[in-house]
Amino acid sequence: MPRAVEHGLHELFGQRTAADPVAARLHLQRPTGGPELMYIALSHESCDLDSVVSTLAIAYLRYRNPGTLQHNYMPVLNMLRRDYPSKSEVRFLLDKQHIKPDRHLVFRDDVPEELLLRSRFILVNHHVSPFHYCTEEVYDYRPYQCEAARLPIYCQRIMHPMRSCAALITERYDSPIYNYANVRCLRVFELLHAALLLQNSNYAQYTPEQLPNVRDYQLLVYLEKQLGQLDTPQRTILYDTLVSAMFDLNELTLPQILRREFKLLRANNGSHLVRIAQCCFPMAVTRFISFEFAQLAIQQFAAEHSCDFIMLLGTSMQPKGGLVIKELGLIPLDSLRDVEDRRLFDHMIINLSAAVEPLLALEPYRGLNFMQGAFFFINVWNVQFYDMLYLMQRVIYNWVSEDKFSPT
């Protein structure tokens, strides 16, 4: 296999073989002229702990179970290298395992375009991708979006109803069919174990009677048998440590916090194009905007991504575990000087306040004056990032439809 990938996976989960970073060696990649293919295991763009660990683990499993043609496998984190520090819980866990970003990890902007164009893909924790046309495997626990995914007919879809992608990957390690080489890497198992704990909120939502029937929990027990049995207090300590790392943003700048997890939405009603950024972070929105340079950070982020509006979403841990959105702020970047922007701003506020799927139960923070925005407390405990994303997509679609089909 090409030396860069071989060295990278060896050094990541086994022996040390090379002194230069994996990403730098990618530019030395050249086609061999043989039948061997390059497979990129591509994480979800959120690059949360579940996505990152699952991507590293499946790439290593496929590398250690190569088949007759000795294809090449490379895990790629679907984010910019500069944004890695913003993933505080990912950085904490990988640092604990002595996995260093400059030495062991490959990010989206590290991969040359020429290599992307001639690679096959394994999509991890997502199944809608611009690389759908050359995707051969998908690992995702979410419902299948047939029209959006447009996957080839030969693509293998591993999409069982789990609560984590790490559970799907752990099943592969436990399978004598897919893990015929009987790979048992303790470092991989420790990573998967941590991802299962965090993604399932330490299984706090289940009663002791329910736990034995929960597939994610069964796979956690399987990993613990490989690692050495852990008791409940040890699990709790590990889970609490990961949650603390997630909320430890002390080393991050305000722009890094904004880039921690964001999505860009676009809408065009035929006469007016708007771009809305949805930024989510484990901090109260009211605390974020209280920082001295918060306005400057928001303006810089908006300029970089050509945004007309920024929606800030602050998350918190619910009582039984699990990350949920508790505060929302919607900020117009032009201070609502444009009439169309004012109409859209009012449309979004009205529809968010009236939303029932999901129900937000918004309580406005009255008297809070920051960049002409509107700020709310979400008075329910079940709203997550993608709930808000899908809601905003519907709200924007309704705005476009009203303008296109209203009588003139």
Side-chain angles (χ1 to χ4, degrees), residues 288-357:
F288 181 89
I289 64 176
S290 70
F291 287 113
E292 181 180 0
F293 297 107
Q295 180 168 341
L296 179 62
I298 290 171
Q299 289 170 337
Q300 289 176 342
F301 180 93
E304 180 178 352
H305 299 283
S306 302
C307 298
D308 300 287
F309 297 90
I310 289 185
M311 175 176 283
L312 303 178
L313 301 172
T315 58
S316 180
M317 294 298 295
Q318 59 180 321
K320 285 195 173 183
L323 206 60
V324 294
I325 297 170
K326 291 302 294 179
E327 288 191 334
L328 178 156
L330 184 62
I331 298 173
L333 273 303
D334 74 339
S335 299
L336 301 178
R337 287 187 292 270
D338 183 90
V339 174
E340 285 294 319
D341 283 351
R342 163 61 76 176
R343 288 183 59 244
L344 177 56
F345 182 81
D346 291 342
H347 173 87
M348 288 189 287
I349 296 300
I350 291 170
N351 281 270
L352 290 171
S353 300
V356 292
E357 293 184 4

Side-chain angles (χ1 to χ4, degrees), residues 158-177:
I158 299 90
M159 300 182 68
H160 308 157
M162 306 282 199
R163 286 184 59 88
S164 68
C165 194
L168 296 174
I169 306 304
T170 304
E171 278 192 327
R172 282 318 212 217
Y173 274 86
D174 190 31
S175 168
I177 297 175

Side-chain angles (χ1 to χ4, degrees), residues 124-356:
V124 183
N125 212 17
H126 68 296
H127 62 274
V128 179
S129 170
F131 303 108
H132 62 90
Y133 57 90
C134 49
T135 295
E136 295 199 2
E137 284 182 39
V138 163
Y139 294 87
D140 197 3
Y141 61 93
R142 300 172 184 83
Y144 182 50
Q145 302 178 54
C146 182
E147 291 186 8
R150 296 180 294 167
L151 296 171
I153 193 170
Y154 55 79
C155 177
Q156 185 179 14
R157 302 199 305 267
I158 299 90
M159 300 182 68
H160 308 157
M162 306 282 199
R163 286 184 59 88
S164 68
C165 194
L168 296 174
I169 306 304
T170 304
E171 278 192 327
R172 282 318 212 217
Y173 274 86
D174 190 31
S175 168
I177 297 175
Y178 296 100
N179 187 13
Y180 57 82
N182 196 30
V183 176
R184 295 290 183 267
C185 177
L186 294 184
R187 179 176 285 184
V188 172
F189 288 169
E190 287 177 1
L191 292 173
L192 288 168
H193 181 266
L196 276 168
L197 267 183
L198 186 62
Q199 187 69 13
N200 286 276
S201 305
N202 200 19
Y203 302 92
Q205 66 271 44
Y206 301 108
T207 65
E209 293 75 25
Q210 291 173 322
L211 274 177
N213 299 317
V214 176
R215 185 57 178 152
D216 280 61
Y217 182 77
Q218 294 169 357
L219 292 164
L220 182 87
V221 172
Y222 162 77
L223 290 172
E224 291 180 349
K225 287 179 180 177
Q226 311 298 316
L227 296 168
Q229 198 73 30
L230 293 181
D231 56 27
T232 301
Q234 288 175 300
R235 286 184 194 150
T236 302
I237 290 171
L238 174 57
Y239 173 73
D240 290 344
T241 302
L242 291 169
V243 171
S244 296
M246 180 186 299
F247 282 87
D248 183 8
L249 307 180
N250 293 329
E251 297 182 8
L252 301 185
T253 65
L254 295 180
Q256 285 177 323
I257 293 174
L258 287 174
R259 296 198 304 266
R260 178 182 163 88
E261 184 172 11
F262 73 92
K263 277 280 195 178
L264 296 176
L265 302 175
R266 296 173 178 82
N268 191 338
N269 66 355
S271 61
H272 193 62
L273 173 67
V274 294
R275 296 177 180 86
I276 304 167
Q278 185 171 302
C279 301
C280 188
F281 42 78
M283 177 190 291
V285 170
T286 45
R287 183 186 174 203
F288 181 89
I289 64 176
S290 70
F291 287 113
E292 181 180 0
F293 297 107
Q295 180 168 341
L296 179 62
I298 290 171
Q299 289 170 337
Q300 289 176 342
F301 180 93
E304 180 178 352
H305 299 283
S306 302
C307 298
D308 300 287
F309 297 90
I310 289 185
M311 175 176 283
L312 303 178
L313 301 172
T315 58
S316 180
M317 294 298 295
Q318 59 180 321
K320 285 195 173 183
L323 206 60
V324 294
I325 297 170
K326 291 302 294 179
E327 288 191 334
L328 178 156
L330 184 62
I331 298 173
L333 273 303
D334 74 339
S335 299
L336 301 178
R337 287 187 292 270
D338 183 90
V339 174
E340 285 294 319
D341 283 351
R342 163 61 76 176
R343 288 183 59 244
L344 177 56
F345 182 81
D346 291 342
H347 173 87
M348 288 189 287
I349 296 300
I350 291 170
N351 281 270
L352 290 171
S353 300
V356 292

Side-chain angles (χ1 to χ4, degrees), residues 38-92:
M38 169 62 80
Y39 281 86
I40 290 178
L42 187 66
S43 79
H44 189 279
E45 60 188 3
S46 69
C47 282
D48 59 5
L49 192 67
D50 188 33
S51 293
V52 170
V53 165
S54 298
T55 300
L56 298 177
I58 194 60
Y60 185 66
L61 181 67
R62 294 298 304 272
Y63 162 61
R64 291 291 304 277
N65 292 267
T68 57
L69 289 178
Q70 297 286 322
H71 294 310
N72 312 309
Y73 297 93
M74 178 173 63
V76 175
L77 305 189
N78 196 7
M79 64 186 298
L80 300 180
R81 178 173 286 275
R82 69 168 186 176
D83 292 335
Y84 177 73
S86 70
K87 309 296 182 180
S88 51
E89 71 280 13
V90 175
R91 191 179 74 242
F92 167 81

Side-chain angles (χ1 to χ4, degrees), residues 369-388:
N369 184 19
F370 179 81
M371 297 183 69
Q372 302 296 314
F375 300 89
F376 302 89
F377 178 76
I378 298 177
N379 203 18
V380 291
W381 284 94
N382 59 351
V383 180
Q384 298 181 330
F385 178 74
Y386 279 88
D387 296 327
M388 287 301 306

